[in-house]
Amino acid sequence: MDQIKIGQFIAQCRREKNMTQRQLAEELGISDKTISKWETGKGLPEAGFMTPLSEVLGITVNELLAGERIPEAEYQERAEETMVALAEMKAEVENVKKNVASMKHRLEHSAEKGITFGAVLAMVISYHAYSSIGWAILHGILGWFYVIYYIIKY
């Protein structure tokens, strides 16, 4: 689906109805900035707004998603194309969600490794500087607490 094409189609249909963005927004109970976002192709209407938007503009949801008027002879074929496109978009969204979850998991493990490395490094440096296991352990623990504090703070 082409967001820009859909946005231009929304703007065209709105103008055909002699409505301003503000008037359309009031009909839908949203801000005119949202309408502007749709019409400039910077976003799509949420699923809950598609039917009311289509009704106000005098078009079908399938025409809205296609970004153009659909002749009756082509309607069934285009409806199927739209359903396939929506299924593909859903699969892409699920794929992105999986990738984000995987990245989050890797990041969490990286943070744990970083904290452990930092604590060990602080112990080694302290032992080398003071030649004392007690100071090394104390600095390692303080370094570990500092990193945890810094992570929680930000």
Side-chain angles (χ1 to χ4, degrees):
M1 286 188 281
D2 184 347
Q3 284 185 198
I4 294 173
K5 183 178 178 183
I6 292 170
Q8 291 171 344
F9 184 59
I10 292 170
Q12 174 192 340
C13 292
R14 176 184 54 78
R15 284 188 217 104
E16 288 172 3
K17 295 283 186 179
N18 295 318
M19 297 177 81
T20 64
Q21 288 182 342
R22 179 166 292 190
Q23 289 169 328
L24 179 57
E26 287 173 0
E27 283 280 330
L28 299 172
I30 57 177
S31 75
D32 55 341
K33 289 180 182 178
T34 301
I35 302 296
S36 176
K37 186 172 90 172
W38 296 344
E39 290 184 357
T40 57
K42 294 179 182 167
L44 289 172
E46 293 178 14
F49 286 111
M50 288 189 184
T51 300
L53 176 61
S54 297
E55 289 173 358
V56 170
L57 297 177
I59 58 175
T60 65
V61 172
N62 196 32
E63 289 174 322
L64 174 65
L65 294 173
E68 62 187 7
R69 298 211 186 268
I70 302 172
E72 276 192 50
E74 298 177 23
Y75 193 81
Q76 183 62 35
E77 180 183 335
R78 297 294 289 277
E80 291 170 5
E81 290 172 5
T82 302
M83 293 300 289
V84 169
L86 287 172
E88 289 172 354
M89 284 179 64
K90 183 177 180 184
E92 288 177 19
V93 167
E94 291 300 319
N95 192 27
V96 168
K97 286 180 180 178
K98 287 178 186 175
N99 288 339
V100 167
S102 174
M103 291 168 97
K104 182 180 176 186
H105 180 72
R106 278 187 260 154
L107 181 62
E108 288 171 352
H109 286 294
S110 295
E112 291 170 4
K113 289 177 184 175
I115 291 169
T116 302
F117 176 76
V120 169
L121 183 62
M123 284 195 261
V124 169
I125 291 171
S126 295
Y127 180 74
H128 180 68
Y130 299 109
S131 297
S132 166
I133 283 286
W135 282 113
I137 292 172
L138 178 64
H139 282 126
I141 292 171
L142 290 176
W144 189 78
F145 280 121
Y146 177 75
V147 170
I148 295 292
Y149 166 77
Y150 197 77
I151 289 172
I152 291 172
K153 183 178 178 185
Y154 297 100

Short mmCIF file of all heavy atoms in Angstrom, two decimals, residues 81-141:
data_model
loop_
_atom_site.label_atom_id
_atom_site.label_comp_id
_atom_site.label_asym_id
_atom_site.label_seq_id
_atom_site.Cartn_x
_atom_site.Cartn_y
_atom_site.Cartn_z
N GLU A 81 -6.65 -8.32 -3.71
CA GLU A 81 -5.30 -7.74 -3.71
C GLU A 81 -5.04 -6.97 -2.42
O GLU A 81 -3.95 -7.06 -1.84
CB GLU A 81 -5.11 -6.81 -4.91
CG GLU A 81 -5.04 -7.52 -6.25
CD GLU A 81 -5.04 -6.54 -7.41
OE1 GLU A 81 -5.01 -5.31 -7.19
OE2 GLU A 81 -5.09 -7.03 -8.56
N THR A 82 -6.05 -6.24 -1.97
CA THR A 82 -5.91 -5.48 -0.73
C THR A 82 -5.73 -6.40 0.46
O THR A 82 -4.90 -6.15 1.33
CB THR A 82 -7.13 -4.56 -0.53
OG1 THR A 82 -7.25 -3.69 -1.65
CG2 THR A 82 -7.00 -3.75 0.74
N MET A 83 -6.48 -7.50 0.48
CA MET A 83 -6.35 -8.46 1.58
C MET A 83 -4.95 -9.08 1.60
O MET A 83 -4.35 -9.24 2.66
CB MET A 83 -7.42 -9.56 1.46
CG MET A 83 -8.84 -9.06 1.66
SD MET A 83 -9.08 -8.31 3.29
CE MET A 83 -9.01 -9.74 4.31
N VAL A 84 -4.42 -9.39 0.42
CA VAL A 84 -3.07 -9.94 0.35
C VAL A 84 -2.06 -8.91 0.85
O VAL A 84 -1.15 -9.24 1.62
CB VAL A 84 -2.74 -10.39 -1.10
CG1 VAL A 84 -1.26 -10.72 -1.25
CG2 VAL A 84 -3.59 -11.60 -1.48
N ALA A 85 -2.23 -7.66 0.42
CA ALA A 85 -1.31 -6.60 0.86
C ALA A 85 -1.37 -6.42 2.37
O ALA A 85 -0.34 -6.25 3.02
CB ALA A 85 -1.64 -5.29 0.15
N LEU A 86 -2.57 -6.47 2.94
CA LEU A 86 -2.70 -6.34 4.39
C LEU A 86 -2.05 -7.52 5.12
O LEU A 86 -1.39 -7.33 6.15
CB LEU A 86 -4.18 -6.24 4.79
CG LEU A 86 -4.86 -4.91 4.48
CD1 LEU A 86 -6.36 -5.01 4.74
CD2 LEU A 86 -4.26 -3.79 5.30
N ALA A 87 -2.20 -8.71 4.57
CA ALA A 87 -1.57 -9.89 5.18
C ALA A 87 -0.05 -9.76 5.13
O ALA A 87 0.65 -10.11 6.09
CB ALA A 87 -2.02 -11.16 4.47
N GLU A 88 0.47 -9.25 4.01
CA GLU A 88 1.92 -9.05 3.89
C GLU A 88 2.41 -8.00 4.90
O GLU A 88 3.45 -8.18 5.51
CB GLU A 88 2.29 -8.63 2.47
CG GLU A 88 2.15 -9.75 1.46
CD GLU A 88 2.32 -9.29 0.02
OE1 GLU A 88 2.44 -8.07 -0.23
OE2 GLU A 88 2.34 -10.17 -0.86
N MET A 89 1.63 -6.93 5.05
CA MET A 89 2.01 -5.90 6.02
C MET A 89 2.02 -6.46 7.43
O MET A 89 2.90 -6.16 8.23
CB MET A 89 1.06 -4.70 5.93
CG MET A 89 1.31 -3.82 4.74
SD MET A 89 0.16 -2.44 4.64
CE MET A 89 0.56 -1.54 6.12
N LYS A 90 1.03 -7.30 7.73
CA LYS A 90 0.95 -7.90 9.06
C LYS A 90 2.17 -8.79 9.30
O LYS A 90 2.77 -8.76 10.38
CB LYS A 90 -0.33 -8.71 9.21
CG LYS A 90 -0.51 -9.31 10.58
CD LYS A 90 -1.81 -10.05 10.73
CE LYS A 90 -1.92 -10.63 12.12
NZ LYS A 90 -3.12 -11.44 12.29
N ALA A 91 2.56 -9.55 8.28
CA ALA A 91 3.73 -10.41 8.41
C ALA A 91 4.99 -9.57 8.62
O ALA A 91 5.85 -9.94 9.42
CB ALA A 91 3.88 -11.29 7.16
N GLU A 92 5.10 -8.45 7.92
CA GLU A 92 6.25 -7.57 8.09
C GLU A 92 6.29 -6.99 9.50
O GLU A 92 7.36 -6.91 10.11
CB GLU A 92 6.21 -6.43 7.07
CG GLU A 92 6.52 -6.86 5.66
CD GLU A 92 6.39 -5.74 4.65
OE1 GLU A 92 6.42 -4.55 5.05
OE2 GLU A 92 6.25 -6.04 3.46
N VAL A 93 5.14 -6.60 10.02
CA VAL A 93 5.08 -6.06 11.38
C VAL A 93 5.50 -7.12 12.39
O VAL A 93 6.27 -6.85 13.32
CB VAL A 93 3.66 -5.52 11.69
CG1 VAL A 93 3.49 -5.25 13.17
CG2 VAL A 93 3.38 -4.27 10.88
N GLU A 94 5.03 -8.35 12.20
CA GLU A 94 5.42 -9.43 13.11
C GLU A 94 6.92 -9.68 13.04
O GLU A 94 7.57 -9.92 14.06
CB GLU A 94 4.64 -10.72 12.77
CG GLU A 94 3.17 -10.65 13.09
CD GLU A 94 2.88 -10.38 14.56
OE1 GLU A 94 3.58 -10.95 15.43
OE2 GLU A 94 1.97 -9.58 14.84
N ASN A 95 7.48 -9.62 11.84
CA ASN A 95 8.91 -9.81 11.66
C ASN A 95 9.69 -8.71 12.39
O ASN A 95 10.70 -8.99 13.04
CB ASN A 95 9.26 -9.84 10.17
CG ASN A 95 10.66 -10.32 9.92
OD1 ASN A 95 11.22 -11.08 10.71
ND2 ASN A 95 11.24 -9.88 8.83
N VAL A 96 9.23 -7.49 12.27
CA VAL A 96 9.89 -6.38 12.96
C VAL A 96 9.81 -6.57 14.47
O VAL A 96 10.79 -6.35 15.18
CB VAL A 96 9.27 -5.03 12.54
CG1 VAL A 96 9.72 -3.90 13.45
CG2 VAL A 96 9.62 -4.70 11.09
N LYS A 97 8.65 -7.01 14.96
CA LYS A 97 8.50 -7.25 16.40
C LYS A 97 9.49 -8.32 16.87
O LYS A 97 10.10 -8.19 17.93
CB LYS A 97 7.07 -7.69 16.73
CG LYS A 97 6.06 -6.58 16.69
CD LYS A 97 4.68 -7.11 17.04
CE LYS A 97 3.63 -6.02 17.00
NZ LYS A 97 2.29 -6.55 17.28
N LYS A 98 9.64 -9.39 16.09
CA LYS A 98 10.59 -10.45 16.45
C LYS A 98 12.01 -9.91 16.48
O LYS A 98 12.79 -10.22 17.38
CB LYS A 98 10.49 -11.61 15.47
CG LYS A 98 9.26 -12.45 15.62
CD LYS A 98 9.21 -13.56 14.59
CE LYS A 98 7.90 -14.30 14.64
NZ LYS A 98 7.78 -15.30 13.56
N ASN A 99 12.37 -9.09 15.48
CA ASN A 99 13.71 -8.52 15.42
C ASN A 99 13.97 -7.60 16.62
O ASN A 99 15.06 -7.62 17.20
CB ASN A 99 13.92 -7.75 14.12
CG ASN A 99 14.05 -8.67 12.92
OD1 ASN A 99 14.37 -9.85 13.06
ND2 ASN A 99 13.80 -8.14 11.74
N VAL A 100 12.97 -6.81 17.00
CA VAL A 100 13.12 -5.92 18.14
C VAL A 100 13.31 -6.73 19.42
O VAL A 100 14.17 -6.42 20.25
CB VAL A 100 11.90 -4.97 18.26
CG1 VAL A 100 11.88 -4.26 19.60
CG2 VAL A 100 11.93 -3.95 17.12
N ALA A 101 12.52 -7.80 19.57
CA ALA A 101 12.65 -8.64 20.76
C ALA A 101 14.04 -9.28 20.82
O ALA A 101 14.66 -9.35 21.88
CB ALA A 101 11.57 -9.71 20.78
N SER A 102 14.53 -9.73 19.68
CA SER A 102 15.85 -10.34 19.62
C SER A 102 16.94 -9.33 19.97
O SER A 102 17.88 -9.64 20.71
CB SER A 102 16.10 -10.91 18.22
OG SER A 102 17.40 -11.39 18.10
N MET A 103 16.82 -8.12 19.43
CA MET A 103 17.80 -7.08 19.72
C MET A 103 17.77 -6.71 21.20
O MET A 103 18.82 -6.49 21.81
CB MET A 103 17.53 -5.85 18.86
CG MET A 103 17.81 -6.08 17.39
SD MET A 103 17.17 -4.75 16.39
CE MET A 103 18.62 -3.78 16.19
N LYS A 104 16.57 -6.64 21.78
CA LYS A 104 16.44 -6.32 23.20
C LYS A 104 17.13 -7.39 24.05
O LYS A 104 17.86 -7.07 25.00
CB LYS A 104 14.97 -6.21 23.56
CG LYS A 104 14.71 -5.84 24.99
CD LYS A 104 13.23 -5.75 25.29
CE LYS A 104 12.99 -5.48 26.76
NZ LYS A 104 11.57 -5.51 27.11
N HIS A 105 16.92 -8.64 23.68
CA HIS A 105 17.53 -9.75 24.41
C HIS A 105 19.06 -9.66 24.33
O HIS A 105 19.75 -9.80 25.35
CB HIS A 105 17.04 -11.08 23.82
CG HIS A 105 17.60 -12.29 24.49
ND1 HIS A 105 17.23 -12.68 25.75
CD2 HIS A 105 18.52 -13.20 24.08
CE1 HIS A 105 17.88 -13.77 26.09
NE2 HIS A 105 18.67 -14.10 25.09
N ARG A 106 19.59 -9.40 23.12
CA ARG A 106 21.04 -9.28 22.95
C ARG A 106 21.59 -8.10 23.74
O ARG A 106 22.66 -8.17 24.33
CB ARG A 106 21.40 -9.14 21.48
CG ARG A 106 21.45 -10.49 20.78
CD ARG A 106 21.97 -10.34 19.38
NE ARG A 106 20.80 -10.34 18.52
CZ ARG A 106 20.71 -9.77 17.36
NH1 ARG A 106 21.73 -9.13 16.86
NH2 ARG A 106 19.61 -9.83 16.65
N LEU A 107 20.84 -7.00 23.75
CA LEU A 107 21.28 -5.81 24.47
C LEU A 107 21.34 -6.08 25.98
O LEU A 107 22.29 -5.66 26.64
CB LEU A 107 20.35 -4.63 24.18
CG LEU A 107 20.70 -3.31 24.84
CD1 LEU A 107 22.06 -2.84 24.36
CD2 LEU A 107 19.64 -2.28 24.53
N GLU A 108 20.33 -6.80 26.49
CA GLU A 108 20.33 -7.11 27.92
C GLU A 108 21.55 -7.96 28.28
O GLU A 108 22.21 -7.72 29.30
CB GLU A 108 19.04 -7.84 28.30
CG GLU A 108 17.82 -6.95 28.29
CD GLU A 108 16.52 -7.72 28.46
OE1 GLU A 108 16.54 -8.97 28.44
OE2 GLU A 108 15.49 -7.06 28.59
N HIS A 109 21.87 -8.94 27.44
CA HIS A 109 23.04 -9.78 27.72
C HIS A 109 24.33 -8.99 27.57
O HIS A 109 25.28 -9.22 28.32
CB HIS A 109 23.05 -11.02 26.81
CG HIS A 109 22.04 -12.05 27.21
ND1 HIS A 109 22.12 -12.73 28.39
CD2 HIS A 109 20.91 -12.48 26.60
CE1 HIS A 109 21.09 -13.55 28.50
NE2 HIS A 109 20.34 -13.42 27.42
N SER A 110 24.36 -8.06 26.62
CA SER A 110 25.55 -7.22 26.46
C SER A 110 25.76 -6.35 27.70
O SER A 110 26.89 -6.16 28.14
CB SER A 110 25.40 -6.32 25.23
OG SER A 110 25.37 -7.10 24.07
N ALA A 111 24.67 -5.83 28.26
CA ALA A 111 24.78 -5.00 29.46
C ALA A 111 25.31 -5.83 30.63
O ALA A 111 26.18 -5.36 31.37
CB ALA A 111 23.42 -4.40 29.81
N GLU A 112 24.82 -7.06 30.76
CA GLU A 112 25.30 -7.92 31.84
C GLU A 112 26.79 -8.21 31.68
O GLU A 112 27.56 -8.14 32.64
CB GLU A 112 24.52 -9.23 31.85
CG GLU A 112 23.08 -9.08 32.27
CD GLU A 112 22.27 -10.35 32.05
OE1 GLU A 112 22.84 -11.38 31.61
OE2 GLU A 112 21.06 -10.31 32.29
N LYS A 113 27.20 -8.49 30.46
CA LYS A 113 28.62 -8.77 30.20
C LYS A 113 29.45 -7.52 30.46
O LYS A 113 30.55 -7.60 31.01
CB LYS A 113 28.82 -9.24 28.77
CG LYS A 113 28.28 -10.62 28.51
CD LYS A 113 28.43 -11.01 27.04
CE LYS A 113 27.80 -12.36 26.78
NZ LYS A 113 27.84 -12.70 25.35
N GLY A 114 28.93 -6.36 30.07
CA GLY A 114 29.65 -5.11 30.29
C GLY A 114 29.83 -4.80 31.76
O GLY A 114 30.89 -4.35 32.19
N ILE A 115 28.78 -5.03 32.54
CA ILE A 115 28.85 -4.79 33.98
C ILE A 115 29.87 -5.73 34.61
O ILE A 115 30.72 -5.31 35.41
CB ILE A 115 27.46 -4.97 34.64
CG1 ILE A 115 26.53 -3.85 34.20
CG2 ILE A 115 27.57 -5.02 36.16
CD1 ILE A 115 25.08 -4.07 34.58
N THR A 116 29.83 -6.99 34.23
CA THR A 116 30.78 -7.96 34.77
C THR A 116 32.21 -7.60 34.38
O THR A 116 33.11 -7.60 35.22
CB THR A 116 30.43 -9.38 34.26
OG1 THR A 116 29.10 -9.68 34.65
CG2 THR A 116 31.39 -10.41 34.83
N PHE A 117 32.41 -7.25 33.12
CA PHE A 117 33.75 -6.85 32.66
C PHE A 117 34.24 -5.63 33.43
O PHE A 117 35.40 -5.57 33.86
CB PHE A 117 33.74 -6.58 31.15
CG PHE A 117 35.05 -6.08 30.64
CD1 PHE A 117 36.11 -6.96 30.46
CD2 PHE A 117 35.24 -4.75 30.34
CE1 PHE A 117 37.33 -6.52 29.99
CE2 PHE A 117 36.45 -4.29 29.87
CZ PHE A 117 37.50 -5.17 29.70
N GLY A 118 33.36 -4.64 33.60
CA GLY A 118 33.73 -3.42 34.32
C GLY A 118 34.13 -3.71 35.76
O GLY A 118 35.11 -3.16 36.27
N ALA A 119 33.37 -4.59 36.41
CA ALA A 119 33.68 -4.93 37.80
C ALA A 119 35.02 -5.66 37.89
O ALA A 119 35.86 -5.37 38.75
CB ALA A 119 32.57 -5.79 38.39
N VAL A 120 35.25 -6.60 36.98
CA VAL A 120 36.52 -7.35 36.98
C VAL A 120 37.68 -6.41 36.67
O VAL A 120 38.74 -6.47 37.32
CB VAL A 120 36.46 -8.52 35.97
CG1 VAL A 120 37.84 -9.14 35.77
CG2 VAL A 120 35.46 -9.56 36.45
N LEU A 121 37.48 -5.52 35.69
CA LEU A 121 38.53 -4.56 35.34
C LEU A 121 38.87 -3.66 36.53
O LEU A 121 40.04 -3.40 36.82
CB LEU A 121 38.09 -3.71 34.15
CG LEU A 121 39.11 -2.71 33.61
CD1 LEU A 121 40.35 -3.44 33.12
CD2 LEU A 121 38.49 -1.89 32.50
N ALA A 122 37.84 -3.20 37.25
CA ALA A 122 38.08 -2.36 38.43
C ALA A 122 38.87 -3.13 39.48
O ALA A 122 39.78 -2.58 40.12
CB ALA A 122 36.75 -1.88 39.01
N MET A 123 38.57 -4.42 39.65
CA MET A 123 39.31 -5.24 40.63
C MET A 123 40.77 -5.40 40.20
O MET A 123 41.68 -5.27 41.02
CB MET A 123 38.65 -6.61 40.79
CG MET A 123 37.39 -6.58 41.62
SD MET A 123 36.89 -8.22 42.13
CE MET A 123 35.64 -8.59 40.95
N VAL A 124 40.99 -5.67 38.92
CA VAL A 124 42.36 -5.87 38.44
C VAL A 124 43.17 -4.59 38.60
O VAL A 124 44.31 -4.62 39.09
CB VAL A 124 42.35 -6.35 36.96
CG1 VAL A 124 43.75 -6.30 36.36
CG2 VAL A 124 41.77 -7.75 36.88
N ILE A 125 42.59 -3.46 38.20
CA ILE A 125 43.31 -2.18 38.31
C ILE A 125 43.59 -1.86 39.78
O ILE A 125 44.69 -1.42 40.13
CB ILE A 125 42.51 -1.05 37.62
CG1 ILE A 125 42.53 -1.28 36.11
CG2 ILE A 125 43.08 0.32 37.98
CD1 ILE A 125 41.60 -0.36 35.34
N SER A 126 42.60 -2.08 40.64
CA SER A 126 42.79 -1.81 42.08
C SER A 126 43.86 -2.71 42.67
O SER A 126 44.70 -2.26 43.45
CB SER A 126 41.47 -2.00 42.83
OG SER A 126 40.54 -1.06 42.42
N TYR A 127 43.84 -3.97 42.29
CA TYR A 127 44.86 -4.89 42.83
C TYR A 127 46.25 -4.47 42.38
O TYR A 127 47.21 -4.46 43.15
CB TYR A 127 44.57 -6.33 42.41
CG TYR A 127 45.59 -7.29 42.95
CD1 TYR A 127 45.56 -7.65 44.30
CD2 TYR A 127 46.59 -7.81 42.14
CE1 TYR A 127 46.50 -8.51 44.83
CE2 TYR A 127 47.54 -8.67 42.65
CZ TYR A 127 47.48 -9.02 44.00
OH TYR A 127 48.42 -9.86 44.53
N HIS A 128 46.32 -4.09 41.09
CA HIS A 128 47.62 -3.67 40.55
C HIS A 128 48.11 -2.39 41.24
O HIS A 128 49.29 -2.26 41.55
CB HIS A 128 47.51 -3.45 39.03
CG HIS A 128 48.79 -3.04 38.40
ND1 HIS A 128 49.88 -3.87 38.29
CD2 HIS A 128 49.17 -1.86 37.84
CE1 HIS A 128 50.86 -3.24 37.70
NE2 HIS A 128 50.46 -2.00 37.41
N ALA A 129 47.19 -1.46 41.50
CA ALA A 129 47.57 -0.17 42.10
C ALA A 129 47.88 -0.31 43.58
O ALA A 129 48.82 0.31 44.09
CB ALA A 129 46.46 0.85 41.89
N TYR A 130 47.10 -1.09 44.31
CA TYR A 130 47.25 -1.16 45.77
C TYR A 130 47.86 -2.47 46.26
O TYR A 130 48.15 -2.61 47.44
CB TYR A 130 45.89 -0.97 46.45
CG TYR A 130 45.27 0.37 46.13
CD1 TYR A 130 44.15 0.45 45.31
CD2 TYR A 130 45.78 1.55 46.65
CE1 TYR A 130 43.57 1.67 45.00
CE2 TYR A 130 45.22 2.77 46.35
CZ TYR A 130 44.10 2.83 45.53
OH TYR A 130 43.55 4.04 45.24
N SER A 131 48.02 -3.45 45.41
CA SER A 131 48.53 -4.77 45.78
C SER A 131 47.77 -5.36 46.96
O SER A 131 48.34 -5.96 47.86
CB SER A 131 50.03 -4.71 46.11
OG SER A 131 50.75 -4.31 44.98
N SER A 132 46.45 -5.16 46.93
CA SER A 132 45.62 -5.65 48.04
C SER A 132 44.34 -6.24 47.46
O SER A 132 43.60 -5.58 46.72
CB SER A 132 45.27 -4.49 48.98
OG SER A 132 44.24 -4.86 49.85
N ILE A 133 44.07 -7.48 47.83
CA ILE A 133 42.85 -8.14 47.39
C ILE A 133 41.63 -7.43 47.96
O ILE A 133 40.61 -7.28 47.29
CB ILE A 133 42.84 -9.62 47.85
CG1 ILE A 133 43.74 -10.45 46.95
CG2 ILE A 133 41.46 -10.23 47.87
CD1 ILE A 133 43.18 -10.72 45.57
N GLY A 134 41.69 -6.97 49.20
CA GLY A 134 40.57 -6.28 49.84
C GLY A 134 40.15 -5.04 49.06
O GLY A 134 38.96 -4.82 48.80
N TRP A 135 41.15 -4.20 48.70
CA TRP A 135 40.84 -2.99 47.93
C TRP A 135 40.30 -3.36 46.54
O TRP A 135 39.41 -2.70 46.01
CB TRP A 135 42.07 -2.09 47.79
CG TRP A 135 42.35 -1.29 49.01
CD1 TRP A 135 43.41 -1.41 49.84
CD2 TRP A 135 41.53 -0.24 49.54
NE1 TRP A 135 43.32 -0.52 50.88
CE2 TRP A 135 42.15 0.23 50.71
CE3 TRP A 135 40.32 0.34 49.18
CZ2 TRP A 135 41.65 1.25 51.50
CZ3 TRP A 135 39.81 1.36 49.95
CH2 TRP A 135 40.46 1.80 51.10
N ALA A 136 40.85 -4.39 45.95
CA ALA A 136 40.41 -4.82 44.62
C ALA A 136 38.94 -5.23 44.65
O ALA A 136 38.13 -4.82 43.80
CB ALA A 136 41.27 -5.97 44.11
N ILE A 137 38.58 -6.02 45.64
CA ILE A 137 37.18 -6.46 45.76
C ILE A 137 36.27 -5.27 46.03
O ILE A 137 35.21 -5.12 45.43
CB ILE A 137 37.04 -7.54 46.85
CG1 ILE A 137 37.75 -8.82 46.40
CG2 ILE A 137 35.57 -7.81 47.17
CD1 ILE A 137 37.85 -9.89 47.47
N LEU A 138 36.69 -4.38 46.94
CA LEU A 138 35.90 -3.20 47.26
C LEU A 138 35.68 -2.35 46.01
O LEU A 138 34.56 -1.93 45.71
CB LEU A 138 36.56 -2.37 48.36
CG LEU A 138 35.83 -1.08 48.74
CD1 LEU A 138 34.46 -1.41 49.33
CD2 LEU A 138 36.65 -0.27 49.70
N HIS A 139 36.74 -2.08 45.26
CA HIS A 139 36.58 -1.28 44.04
C HIS A 139 35.72 -1.99 42.99
O HIS A 139 34.95 -1.35 42.27
CB HIS A 139 37.95 -0.91 43.46
CG HIS A 139 38.60 0.20 44.19
ND1 HIS A 139 39.86 0.11 44.71
CD2 HIS A 139 38.16 1.45 44.51
CE1 HIS A 139 40.18 1.23 45.31
NE2 HIS A 139 39.16 2.06 45.21
N GLY A 140 35.86 -3.30 42.91
CA GLY A 140 35.03 -4.05 41.97
C GLY A 140 33.56 -3.94 42.31
O GLY A 140 32.71 -3.70 41.46
N ILE A 141 33.25 -4.08 43.59
CA ILE A 141 31.84 -3.98 44.03
C ILE A 141 31.33 -2.56 43.85
O ILE A 141 30.22 -2.35 43.34
CB ILE A 141 31.71 -4.44 45.50
CG1 ILE A 141 31.97 -5.95 45.59
CG2 ILE A 141 30.33 -4.08 46.06
CD1 ILE A 141 32.09 -6.48 47.00
#
